[in-house]
């Protein structure tokens, strides 16, 4: 096997997934990179990884996604992993108010450790749990707007908006990292759901680097 | 003795079976069986013939869950059957037989022990009447049970990894009893541990033996006393558990309890759910047991509280003990050693990172340099390895084997009087949500502490300009923690402690007789440049000193870890020493050990260490750059087997407690040259678990070629090891780790002897 055999990507970007324990970070990642969902996935200890290659505006981008442990206790260690991240998905569970309240802590964490130009997206996960919802979509959107972050609701379980979340974030990153266009982030936070259509500019590559056996 | 805590005392168990076949009327049968001679396979055959079943079926048994509800639990193995006998057979074991294809979500389990998969198909061939009539009391079926257990064990080993066999077979019940006296006192703790180190434990015996390995018993209990002790401690556990459950049921639980319970629940629901023990509904009995166990521990140990990863530590204990309270005792035993891993200060983990970095640098400077070039020398991808002591890195059943081997390398640490089930600061009144509940702030303080720690860290990392500095960053962190050693090594006697001084005095006459052999030995060590040839001299010197039977004494001072088995026939002396030592300090009672060549058995092909040494020497001579004191990984052709085991001369040192047998001559054996004075002593190395360090080192080295060859960068290395979760080969890893570990111990011993010589002014 070769892990780095086809090195034909133009950019490699590190994205971190953060949020309280149990909000679905690992499954959001596995849904995006392997199209898998495992209701009984193990708690993440330390950090786990996956990559997926995506074409944005003709450039091959390797998204290298770091899935970090959610429990507070590990933040001291996981903060190391923020180093070099150019994007972050900050997750909460739409059925768990506590996970929403804790967003502030996670955002502070990012402000302290991540690249100041890192793109941040607030993600309300588990949108399939309509009957258990306690955080209205508007509330999440408001918080994101207040902080000039983008916002999306996803369901790793039924795959709703998962690719969109990652792709939108990657396009944001592209703007910052490649075109140096900061204004998009600063001035128009409310661009989440529909502005960047997958079909128009973003083409997911099949497979990514997953599936190589060692 | 082994059976004190199981149901072996019951002679007959009455069984009532209900056969369900789709919409057909259920069919009932009753019979009795002898639990001592009935294996799960026999039970299956019995049922097959009793009902004339022609297709596959599943068996479940009626049990009561914690809330007293009747539930059917599936019975898939001897373990389940034993559990059923034990917990659900009074007055009558109720079985349900479902005629449907056997399917289970096992996809995610890499390895299933052959014995765990019921063999339904050939069940029809046994003569019905004769079988039923001979069900109880026949020797033949007893033999059958033993045989099937053996086949299972052997089958597991040989099918998985034929080329890496352990030095001996797993410990059996019969063998275990050899380490006890007639009333059940553990009388040969060293041999007991060496045996496990060499070959692990038969699955069925783990339940009993793990309790010994996990230090839940005070020293020197008889079998009867252990039984009483267990019963008492179980009650104590249930009392602790009921304290918080009551608060829950009365709705007076504090925020702290609710917070802990929520966190625990989240993780229990996703801990080893692919294992049959935890499969089934989210509120199945075993999951609830795991939940109770963890919440009770977290609440009664406020300093630790709940931390992710603890469910991974507890899960195998519950699978093996099958009983919540007994598993709790084992968990307390494990956590006594591991709690520092879970503390917010992160000191223990930091130390382990540093130690692994050190040994990697010494063992494989090329690989270390590679990692450094890629900014990966901080080894952060090993975090999970340390935290869970590699539990997730192997398939579940293999992890059990790895764990028991690792535990066997640790010095016994019996509780002084009793195993404490809670921390001294625990106070049940804190559980209640009284208006001024003081514990609610715990979470906040913890977070505040964490923030300050992180700020501390980030200040340091700001000083370090590039990622290359991250390793020194953690070292400097480490240096700042002046109490770090005490956290890890506080149970070992200090060199200047009075009892140690006393021992030293006792040893002085022994030193006289050591003088002869040691002087040669230390001259060998003094010249590091030509290490390889002289290492051999060193070995034989140790060998000869050991035959004089004195060297083991020197271990008592500060090397509580097992020494490699250098001694040939000094059992009596050692027993005597054991007793004497234990008077001074329980920790130092563990000393160099006995005659594992006996345990290994004459038929086992043994690798002569001297020959190994030569073969690796020739290799390293070719690679003179990394020659001095490093491990040279590469394709060392292990062609130098000593096939004639009868050729043992006195000075031919067989390190047989680490004998690794290989059928595959082309294996890449990495020969460790642990002439590594820089490495910490066993009681410090890896915070007192040096074997873990060698296991981790092995995992790294076994992927070294892949990493270097494919030029993997930091992230790719991290991802590589991430993907290897539950996929490492336990036999291959243990094989190599044992080799390196024994070399390390040997060097440590030699160094120690040198120190002793210098200290007592013996000319070197």
């Amino acid at each position: 096997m070769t892990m780095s055999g086809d090195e034909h990507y133009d950019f490699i970007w590190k994205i971190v997934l953060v949020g309280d324990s149990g909000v679905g970070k690992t499954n959001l990642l596995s849904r995006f990179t392997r199209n898998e969902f495992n209701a009984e996935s193990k708690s993440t200890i330390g950090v786990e990884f996956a990559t997926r290659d995506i074409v944005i505006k003709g450039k091959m981008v390797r998204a290298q996604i770091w899935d970090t442990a959610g429990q507070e206790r590990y933040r001291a260690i996981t903060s190391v992993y923020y180093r070099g991240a150019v994007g972050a998905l900050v997750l909460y569970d739409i059925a768990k108010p506590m996970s929403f309240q804790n967003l502030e802590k996670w955002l502070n964490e990012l402000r302290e450790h991540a690249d100041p130009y890192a793109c941040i997206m607030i993600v309300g996960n588990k949108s399939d749990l309509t009957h258990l919802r306690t955080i209205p979509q508007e509330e999440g959107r408001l918080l994101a707007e207040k902080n000039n972050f983008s916002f999306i609701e996803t369901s790793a379980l039924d795959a709703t908006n998962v690719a969109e979340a990652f792709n939108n974030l990657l396009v944001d990153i592209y703007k910052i990292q490649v075109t140096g266009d900061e204004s998009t982030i600063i001035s128009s936070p409310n661009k989440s759901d529909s502005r960047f259509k997958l079909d128009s500019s973003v083409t997911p590559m099949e497979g990514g680097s997953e599936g190589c056996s060692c | 003795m082994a059976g004190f805590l199981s149901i072996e005392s019951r002679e007959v168990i009455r069984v009532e079976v209900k056969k369900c076949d789709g919409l057909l009327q259920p069919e009932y049968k009753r019979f009795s069986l002898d639990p001592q001679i009935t294996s799960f396979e026999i039970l299956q055959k019995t049922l097959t013939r009793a009902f004339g079943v022609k297709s596959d079926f599943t068996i479940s048994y009626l049990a009561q869950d914690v809330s007293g509800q009747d539930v059917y639990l599936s019975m898939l193995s001897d373990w389940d059957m034993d559990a059923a006998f034990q917990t659900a057979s009074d007055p009558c074991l109720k079985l349900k037989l479902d005629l449907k294809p056997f399917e289970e979500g096992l996809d995610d389990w890499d390895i299933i022990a052959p014995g765990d998969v019921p063999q339904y198909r050939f069940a029809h061939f046994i003569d019905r009447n004769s079988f039923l009539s001979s069900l109880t009391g026949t020797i033949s079926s007893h033999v059958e049970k033993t045989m099937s257990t053996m086949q299972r064990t052997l089958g597991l080993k040989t099918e998985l990894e034929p080329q890496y066999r352990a030095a001996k077979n797993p410990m059996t019940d019969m063998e275990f009893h050899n380490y006890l006296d007639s009333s059940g006192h553990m009388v040969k703790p060293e041999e007991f541990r060496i045996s496990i180190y060499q070959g692990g434990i038969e699955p069925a015996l783990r339940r009993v033996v793990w309790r010994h390995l996990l230090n839940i018993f005070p020293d020197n209990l008889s079998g009867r006393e252990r039984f009483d002790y267990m019963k008492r401690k179980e009650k104590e556990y249930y009392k602790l558990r009921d304290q918080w459950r009551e608060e829950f049921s009365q709705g007076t639980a504090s925020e702290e309890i609710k917070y802990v319970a929520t966190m625990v629940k989240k993780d229990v629901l996703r801990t080893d759910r692919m294992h049959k023990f935890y499969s089934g509904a989210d509120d199945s009995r075993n999951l609830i047991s795991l939940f109770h166990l963890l919440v009770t521990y977290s609440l009664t140990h406020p300093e630790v509280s709940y931390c992710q990863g603890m469910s991974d530590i507890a899960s195998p204990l519950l699978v093996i003990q099958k009983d919540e309270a007994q598993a709790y005792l084992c968990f307390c035993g494990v956590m006594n050693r591991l709690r520092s891993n879970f503390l917010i200060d992160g000191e223990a983990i930091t130390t382990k990172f540093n130690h692994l970095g050190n040994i990697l640098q010494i063992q494989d400077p090329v690989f270390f340099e590679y990692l450094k070039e890629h900014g990966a020398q901080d080894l952060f991808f090993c975090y999970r390895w340390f935290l869970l002591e590699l539990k997730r890195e192997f398939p579940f059943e293999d992890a059990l084997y790895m764990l028991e081997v690792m535990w066997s390398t640790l010095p016994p640490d019996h509780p002084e009087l009793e195993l404490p089930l809670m921390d001294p600061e625990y106070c049940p009144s804190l559980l209640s949500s009284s208006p001024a509940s003081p514990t609610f702030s715990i979470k906040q303080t913890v977070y505040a502490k964490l923030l300050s720690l992180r700020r501390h860290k980030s200040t340091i990392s700001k000083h370090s300009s590039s990622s290359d500095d991250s390793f020194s960053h953690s070292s400097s962190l480490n240096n700042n923690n002046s109490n770090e050693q005490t956290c890890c090594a506080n149970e070992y006697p200090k060199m200047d402690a009075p009892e140690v001084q006393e021992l030293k005095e006792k040893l002085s006459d022994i030193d006289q007789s050591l003088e002869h052999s040691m002087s040669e030995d230390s001259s060998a060590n003094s010249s590091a440049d030509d290490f390889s040839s002289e290492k051999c001299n060193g070995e034989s010197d140790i060998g000869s000193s050991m035959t004089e039977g004195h060297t083991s004494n020197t271990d008592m001072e500060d090397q509580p870890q097992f020494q490699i088995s250098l001694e040939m026939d000094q059992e009596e002396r050692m027993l005597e020493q054991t007793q004497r030592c234990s008077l001074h300090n329980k920790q130092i009672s563990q000393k160099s050990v006995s005659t594992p060549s006996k345990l290994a058995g004459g038929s086992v092909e043994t690798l002569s260490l001297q020959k190994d040494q030569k073969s690796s020497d020739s290799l390293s001579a070719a690679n003179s750059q990394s020659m001095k004191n490093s491990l040279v990984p590469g394709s060392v052709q292990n062609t130098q087997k000593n096939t004639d085991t009868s050729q043992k001369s006195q000075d031919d040192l067989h390190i047989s407690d680490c004998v690794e047998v290989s059928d595959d001559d082309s294996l890449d054996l990495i020969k460790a040259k642990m002439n590594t004075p820089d490495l910490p002593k066993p009681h410090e190395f890896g915070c007192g678990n040096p074997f873990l360090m060698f296991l981790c080192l092995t995992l790294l080295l076994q992927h070294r070629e892949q990493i270097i060859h494919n030029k993997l960068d930091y992230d790719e290395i991290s991802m590589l090891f991430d993907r290897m979760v539950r996929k490492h080969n336990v036999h291959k890893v243990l094989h190599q780790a044992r080799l390196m570990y024994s070399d390390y111990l040997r060097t440590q011993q030699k160094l120690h002897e040198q120190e002793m010589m210098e200290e007592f002014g013996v000319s070197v």
Side-chain angles (χ1 to χ4, degrees):
Chain A
M1 72 127 237
T2 54
M3 285 192 52
S4 44
D6 332 305
E7 307 274 309
H8 303 303
Y9 48 83
D10 302 288
F11 304 106
I12 176 158
W13 289 335
K14 175 171 166 183
I15 294 168
V16 290
L17 281 174
V18 295
D20 274 12
S21 158
V23 296
K25 298 179 291 296
T26 304
N27 272 317
L28 193 75
L29 177 61
S30 67
R31 175 64 80 192
F32 179 60
T33 55
R34 299 192 294 274
N35 200 19
E36 285 171 12
F37 181 88
N38 178 5
E40 288 156 358
S41 68
K42 298 192 161 208
S43 59
T44 305
I45 302 293
V47 73
E48 290 169 10
F49 309 84
T51 59
R52 184 162 165 184
D53 294 345
I54 282 176
V55 177
I56 301 175
K57 302 201 168 130
K59 299 284 186 191
M60 175 69 86
V61 173
R62 170 163 292 182
Q64 186 181 81
I65 306 155
W66 296 47
D67 172 22
T68 59
Q71 199 184 347
E72 216 164 54
R73 186 99 46 132
Y74 294 119
R75 290 192 199 175
I77 294 130
T78 51
S79 63
V80 173
Y81 294 103
Y82 294 137
R83 198 172 52 206
V86 295
L89 293 176
V90 188
L91 270 75
Y92 67 93
D93 176 346
I94 62 145
K96 295 268 163 53
M98 186 55 97
S99 70
F100 186 73
Q101 285 166 36
N102 284 337
L103 283 180
E104 202 49 52
K105 284 182 191 169
W106 288 110
L107 292 173
N108 284 334
E109 186 95 358
L110 282 168
R111 286 185 192 111
E112 197 169 337
H113 294 284
D115 183 317
Y117 294 109
C119 298
I120 294 175
M121 175 181 273
I122 308 275
V123 180
N125 192 32
K126 308 199 184 178
S127 63
D128 52 286
L129 297 176
T130 43
H131 57 297
L132 296 173
R133 178 190 283 274
T134 52
I135 309 295
Q137 189 167 0
E138 252 340 276
E139 208 171 320
R141 190 182 302 280
L142 274 173
L143 181 94
E145 276 176 19
K146 204 175 73 190
N147 290 282
N148 287 331
F149 303 141
S150 42
F151 172 79
I152 197 167
E153 279 197 356
T154 57
S155 165
L157 180 80
D158 61 23
T160 306
N161 274 348
V162 174
E164 285 78 356
F166 283 98
N167 292 328
N168 290 353
L169 183 74
L170 285 165
V171 171
D172 287 350
I173 296 170
Y174 187 92
K175 285 171 185 281
I176 298 284
Q177 303 288 328
V178 182
T179 61
D181 179 8
E182 275 178 57
S183 59
T184 24
I185 295 297
I186 309 298
S187 62
S188 58
N190 192 10
K191 60 172 171 236
S192 57
D193 290 346
S194 57
R195 261 192 56 182
F196 300 103
K197 279 293 173 206
L198 226 177
D199 353 348
S200 60
S201 61
V202 180
T203 321
M205 303 298 291
E206 32 93 38
S209 79
E210 279 302 314
C212 45
S213 59
C214 308
Chain B
M1 280 149 281
F4 265 134
L5 303 163
S6 59
I7 42 79
E8 246 93 80
S9 53
R10 296 268 299 273
E11 282 181 352
V12 167
I13 286 182
R14 285 187 295 157
V15 185
E16 185 184 287
V17 194
K18 174 184 175 187
K19 183 190 119 187
C20 303
D21 187 1
L23 299 171
L24 297 177
Q25 196 72 5
E27 219 181 313
Y28 290 90
K29 300 243 187 236
R30 285 191 182 80
F31 60 92
S32 300
L33 53 79
D34 181 342
Q36 298 194 46
I37 56 162
T38 307
S39 68
F40 180 61
E41 205 177 308
I42 291 178
L43 180 67
Q44 286 180 320
K45 288 173 187 168
T46 311
L47 295 172
T48 309
R49 286 173 320 90
F51 290 101
V53 181
K54 296 273 189 295
S55 66
D56 287 353
F57 58 87
T58 57
I59 306 174
S60 49
Y61 65 95
L62 192 67
Q64 289 199 326
D65 68 13
V66 259
S67 54
Q69 294 276 328
D70 284 351
V71 284
Y72 274 107
L73 301 176
S74 57
M75 185 188 285
L76 300 170
S77 66
D78 278 314
W79 302 352
D80 296 338
M81 188 185 69
D82 286 346
F85 286 167
Q86 186 152 11
T87 59
S89 61
D90 197 14
C92 172
L93 177 64
K94 296 195 174 172
L95 296 180
K96 184 156 70 95
L97 193 152
D98 286 296
L99 292 183
K100 56 184 176 197
F102 173 76
E103 279 189 31
E104 213 187 6
L106 290 167
D107 329 329
D108 203 30
W109 287 94
D110 308 86
I111 309 293
I112 304 156
D116 288 343
V117 182
Q119 300 158 2
Y120 304 103
R121 300 288 181 185
F122 64 90
H124 320 297
F125 303 114
I126 299 165
D127 178 75
R128 183 175 187 167
N129 297 321
S130 72
F131 184 74
L132 274 180
S133 62
S134 66
L135 191 58
T136 39
T138 59
I139 291 172
S140 64
S141 54
H142 197 177
V143 169
E144 190 175 354
K145 183 173 183 175
T146 315
M147 281 300 288
S148 80
T149 318
M150 280 178 65
Q151 282 160 356
R152 212 167 42 205
T153 321
L154 295 173
L156 177 67
K157 295 265 178 287
T158 51
E159 278 170 34
L160 283 185
E161 193 52 74
Q163 67 270 47
Y164 295 100
R165 245 184 315 136
K168 69 177 274 303
N169 289 331
M171 182 186 286
T172 60
D173 197 36
M174 202 192 282
E175 188 198 328
F176 175 57
H177 283 86
N178 290 336
Y179 306 121
L180 308 172
D181 69 9
S182 56
S183 55
H185 296 93
M186 171 62 70
V187 285
K188 297 177 186 165
E190 292 88 9
E191 289 182 24
F192 165 70
R193 283 173 187 245
I194 284 196
S195 165
I196 295 167
Y197 176 73
Q198 291 174 324
I201 307 163
E202 262 197 359
L205 192 63
R206 284 189 170 130
R207 185 155 190 254
V208 173
V209 171
W210 276 24
R211 295 171 189 165
H212 288 270
L213 278 181
L214 296 175
N215 299 309
I216 71 172
F217 301 119
D219 203 7
N220 217 11
L221 293 190
S222 71
R224 182 75 225 173
E225 286 163 340
R226 277 201 298 274
F227 180 79
D228 295 338
Y229 173 81
M230 284 299 278
K231 289 291 153 223
R232 196 173 70 247
K233 299 302 276 185
E234 283 168 29
K235 271 191 201 137
E236 193 185 329
Y237 164 74
Y238 286 117
K239 211 176 135 200
L240 285 176
R241 187 190 80 174
D242 291 343
Q243 281 166 357
W244 65 263
R245 287 183 75 203
E246 236 162 68
E247 301 289 349
F248 248 114
S249 59
Q250 293 169 5
T252 53
S254 67
E255 287 301 316
E256 181 65 16
I257 305 183
K258 289 179 195 159
Y259 178 69
V260 165
T262 314
M263 278 197 299
V264 171
K265 187 178 165 196
K266 235 182 250 175
D267 284 348
V268 163
L269 292 180
R270 50 182 175 167
T271 301
D272 294 328
R273 291 299 293 280
M274 295 305 182
H275 193 280
K276 59 183 185 292
F277 187 82
Y278 297 111
S279 62
D282 279 359
D283 56 351
S284 68
R285 198 178 69 153
N286 295 334
L287 287 177
I288 288 178
S289 288
L290 186 61
F291 172 76
H292 283 160
L293 183 163
L294 288 166
V295 173
T296 308
Y297 184 88
S298 307
L299 293 174
T300 55
H301 297 77
E303 190 198 14
V304 191
S305 189
Y306 181 71
C307 200
Q308 283 188 329
M310 276 161 58
S311 65
D312 277 273
I313 307 281
S315 154
L317 303 175
L318 186 61
V319 168
I320 293 302
Q321 296 299 321
K322 301 189 202 86
D323 176 279
E324 187 181 316
Q326 291 163 2
Y328 184 82
L329 298 182
C330 293
F331 187 65
C332 288
V334 173
M335 286 300 287
N336 279 343
R337 196 169 55 77
L338 285 189
R339 64 186 285 160
S340 61
N341 270 357
F342 292 98
L343 293 182
I344 201 97
D345 59 23
E347 283 166 15
I349 296 274
T350 309
T351 306
K352 286 172 193 175
F353 275 122
N354 289 336
H355 286 175
L356 184 60
N358 290 346
I359 193 175
L360 183 65
Q361 189 167 19
I362 290 166
Q363 292 293 299
D364 190 350
V366 177
F367 186 30
F368 188 79
E369 200 50 42
Y370 176 91
L371 292 177
K372 208 170 163 188
E373 278 166 24
H374 293 77
Q377 80 277 27
D378 59 25
L379 302 174
F380 277 127
F381 41 84
C382 306
Y383 180 73
R384 187 184 54 237
W385 302 359
F386 297 147
L387 190 79
L388 307 181
E389 295 203 319
L390 299 172
K391 182 262 185 184
R392 271 198 205 174
E393 311 313 310
F394 299 95
F396 190 86
E397 299 297 329
D398 288 356
L400 304 180
Y401 172 49
M402 180 277 302
L403 285 172
E404 65 205 13
V405 169
M406 184 178 65
W407 293 335
S408 75
T409 67
L410 301 166
D413 181 18
H414 304 289
E416 203 76 49
L417 295 168
E418 290 205 357
L419 180 74
L421 301 190
M422 57 186 178
D423 273 356
E425 58 263 38
Y426 167 71
C427 168
S429 65
L430 298 184
L431 297 175
S432 182
S433 62
S434 56
S437 170
T439 54
F440 185 44
S441 57
I442 286 183
K443 210 169 70 189
Q444 303 303 330
T445 27
V446 160
Y447 188 64
K449 262 170 86 179
L450 179 114
L451 282 177
S452 70
L453 177 83
R454 215 187 41 222
R455 268 183 223 115
H456 174 61
K457 269 198 154 183
S458 61
T459 10
I460 296 171
S461 58
K462 271 164 198 157
H463 291 308
S464 55
S465 48
S466 72
S467 60
D468 280 1
D469 289 329
S470 52
F471 192 68
S472 56
H473 143 216
S474 49
S475 318
S476 59
L477 232 194
N478 187 12
N479 293 339
N480 291 341
N481 294 321
S482 54
N483 59 341
E484 168 225 330
Q485 289 306 330
T486 50
C487 88
C488 305
N490 55 4
E491 297 192 7
Y492 295 88
K494 294 275 172 293
M495 284 297 282
D496 50 357
E499 59 265 37
V500 176
Q501 291 295 346
E502 201 178 318
L503 272 177
K504 280 182 188 167
E505 280 156 30
K506 285 189 183 177
L507 287 172
S508 59
D509 58 325
I510 294 162
D511 290 324
Q512 302 296 321
S513 45
L514 274 174
E515 191 176 341
H516 169 69
S517 58
M518 287 310 292
S519 54
E520 289 171 43
D521 185 21
S522 35
S523 71
N525 273 288
S526 62
S527 154
D529 283 340
D530 194 4
F531 160 66
S532 53
S533 62
E534 289 174 3
K535 179 83 181 282
C536 294
N537 292 340
E539 307 302 350
S540 44
D541 288 340
I542 291 188
S544 55
S545 71
M546 292 318 279
T547 52
E548 291 170 36
H550 298 304
T551 314
S552 58
N553 276 316
T554 58
D555 304 332
M556 291 190 289
E557 190 178 290
D558 68 350
Q559 295 204 356
Q561 293 289 329
F562 274 125
Q563 299 304 310
I564 36 178
S565 56
L566 302 169
E567 190 164 348
M568 288 311 178
D569 54 357
Q570 305 288 337
E571 284 184 67
E572 266 183 43
R573 180 191 298 272
M574 290 205 323
L575 275 175
E576 193 186 303
Q577 287 159 1
T578 313
Q579 284 152 9
R580 210 172 41 182
C581 281
S582 60
L583 292 177
H584 294 292
N585 185 302
K586 59 187 169 129
Q587 286 295 339
I588 49 176
S589 68
Q590 192 168 12
K591 323 172 310 304
S592 93
V593 261
S594 49
T595 57
S597 50
K598 278 190 214 160
L599 300 171
S603 64
V604 183
E605 224 179 5
T606 59
L607 292 172
S608 155
L609 203 99
Q610 288 191 337
K611 299 220 171 184
D612 287 351
Q613 205 61 55
K614 279 172 194 153
S615 68
S616 62
D617 286 345
S618 59
L619 178 94
S620 46
N623 187 356
S624 58
Q625 189 199 357
S626 47
M627 171 78 196
K628 214 175 259 180
N629 51 10
S630 69
L631 169 76
V632 184
S635 36
V636 183
Q637 280 241 327
N638 176 28
T639 51
Q640 308 241 13
K641 279 190 186 176
N642 181 4
T643 47
D644 186 0
T645 47
S646 67
Q647 239 183 7
K648 287 179 195 157
S649 60
Q650 286 285 8
D651 56 349
D652 183 14
L653 179 67
H654 289 265
I655 307 296
S656 29
D657 71 341
C658 60
V659 164
E660 291 297 318
V661 185
S662 164
D663 299 336
D664 180 0
D665 279 351
S666 67
L667 287 176
D668 288 0
L669 282 188
I670 299 177
K671 293 294 168 233
K673 293 192 173 199
M674 296 284 175
N675 183 21
T676 50
D678 301 340
L679 286 180
K681 291 196 163 58
H683 64 281
E684 292 167 356
F685 195 28
C687 285
N689 188 354
F691 192 65
L692 174 67
M693 291 293 113
F694 288 99
L695 286 170
C696 293
L697 179 64
T698 304
L699 295 190
L700 290 173
L701 293 179
Q702 288 185 347
H703 293 86
R704 142 195 225 277
E705 291 304 321
Q706 192 180 354
I707 289 169
I708 295 178
H709 181 255
N710 293 315
K711 301 191 176 69
L712 302 191
D713 65 18
Y714 187 121
D715 304 333
E716 288 167 326
I717 297 168
S718 303
M719 285 186 264
L720 166 69
F721 286 117
D722 194 38
R723 269 199 308 273
M724 289 302 290
V725 168
R726 287 189 305 210
K727 293 194 180 65
H728 290 280
N729 179 323
V730 76
H731 301 285
K732 195 172 161 193
V733 170
L734 281 177
H735 174 78
Q736 191 175 334
R738 284 186 185 115
L739 286 175
M740 294 193 289
Y741 180 60
S742 67
D743 271 2
Y744 162 75
L745 288 184
R746 198 165 36 238
T747 309
Q748 287 295 314
Q749 178 156 358
K750 223 188 302 180
L751 284 169
H752 174 69
E753 285 158 5
Q754 259 176 286
E755 275 171 27
M756 290 295 293
M757 302 301 290
E758 282 160 19
E759 193 149 327
F760 289 95
V762 179
S763 63
V764 282

